[in-house]
Amino acid sequence: GAKTQLTGIVGAITVALLLLIAPNLLQNLPNAALAAVVIASAIGLFEFTDLRRIYRIQRWEFWLSIVCFIGVAVLGAIPGIGLAIVIAVIVWLFHWLYLRSSKERSFVRTGLGGQKVVLGGGAFVLPIVHDVIPVNMNTLRLEVARGRDKALITKDRMRVDVISEFYVRVKADANAVADAAQTLGTRTLEPEKLKELLEGKFVDALRTAAAEM
């Protein structure tokens, strides 16, 4: 029925006084009873609610805690905690250095080991020795408007105001991704910059089409 942390302090002081003043009172206590006291105390250390919450939020942390528990139970406190620390560092390095692509974004890794196109997979990216160029795999809509003094001229010398939409995307192919990374760079992630780069070609295509009308 305790409601504050003062209960633990009182209990610890009571046990300490018992061991200092009358230690012989416990010498005839059965080992099974002592084990029951230890087990009852240890059960309170398990936070099953927190474990379930960690499992839902970050599963690798859940499994790390399980490994730490098993390590402490089998190897002892210091080696078990040391094992958990080593595993945590390895997992952290893996998350930091391993870059994964997705259906919406691939990338090209250059540097040590040569060029590697990652499409639907992943690769280790090491600082300093590697460089990464992301490529957007989504379809992008680019709008080109020509009107007033920039209107198109038809075959009959008529001025035409035009608003055109162009849809562009990178083909899901290693060579196409490599070409997009080389020619467009990171512009595939920024439609406005991509439009500035390609607008001239789109306008030329519109002028050619208007000249035949």
Side-chain angles (χ1 to χ4, degrees), residues 42 55 65 73 134 149 156 160 172 183:
Y55 181 80
S65 64
D149 58 327
D156 298 329
V160 180
T183 57

Side-chain angles (χ1 to χ4, degrees), residues 41-57:
S41 301
I43 288 177
L45 300 176
F46 290 91
E47 298 289 346
F48 295 105
T49 302
D50 290 342
L51 280 177
R52 286 195 295 269
R53 180 174 57 83
I54 293 173
Y55 181 80
R56 291 195 303 267
I57 297 174

Side-chain angles (χ1 to χ4, degrees), residues 8-29:
I9 298 176
V10 173
I13 293 175
T14 302
V15 172
L17 290 175
L18 178 63
L19 294 176
L20 291 174
I21 299 174
N24 294 332
L25 292 177
L26 301 177
Q27 65 180 359
N28 296 322
L29 194 66

Side-chain angles (χ1 to χ4, degrees), residues 89-101:
V89 170
I90 293 174
V91 172
W92 178 78
L93 287 174
F94 185 85
H95 278 273
W96 179 43
L97 298 176
Y98 190 78
L99 183 62
R100 290 176 296 180
S101 65

Side-chain angles (χ1 to χ4, degrees), residues 58-101:
Q58 191 68 276
R59 292 194 177 185
W60 77 269
E61 290 187 4
F62 168 82
W63 290 114
L64 180 62
S65 64
I66 298 299
V67 170
C68 182
F69 169 75
I70 295 175
V72 170
V74 175
L75 304 176
I78 302 302
I81 294 175
L83 175 64
I85 292 174
V86 170
I87 293 175
V89 170
I90 293 174
V91 172
W92 178 78
L93 287 174
F94 185 85
H95 278 273
W96 179 43
L97 298 176
Y98 190 78
L99 183 62
R100 290 176 296 180
S101 65

Side-chain angles (χ1 to χ4, degrees), residues 116-136:
K116 179 179 177 62
V117 177
V118 180
L119 186 65
F124 283 99
V125 178
L126 304 178
I128 301 175
V129 298
H130 285 147
D131 189 22
V132 171
I133 302 175
V135 178
N136 189 354

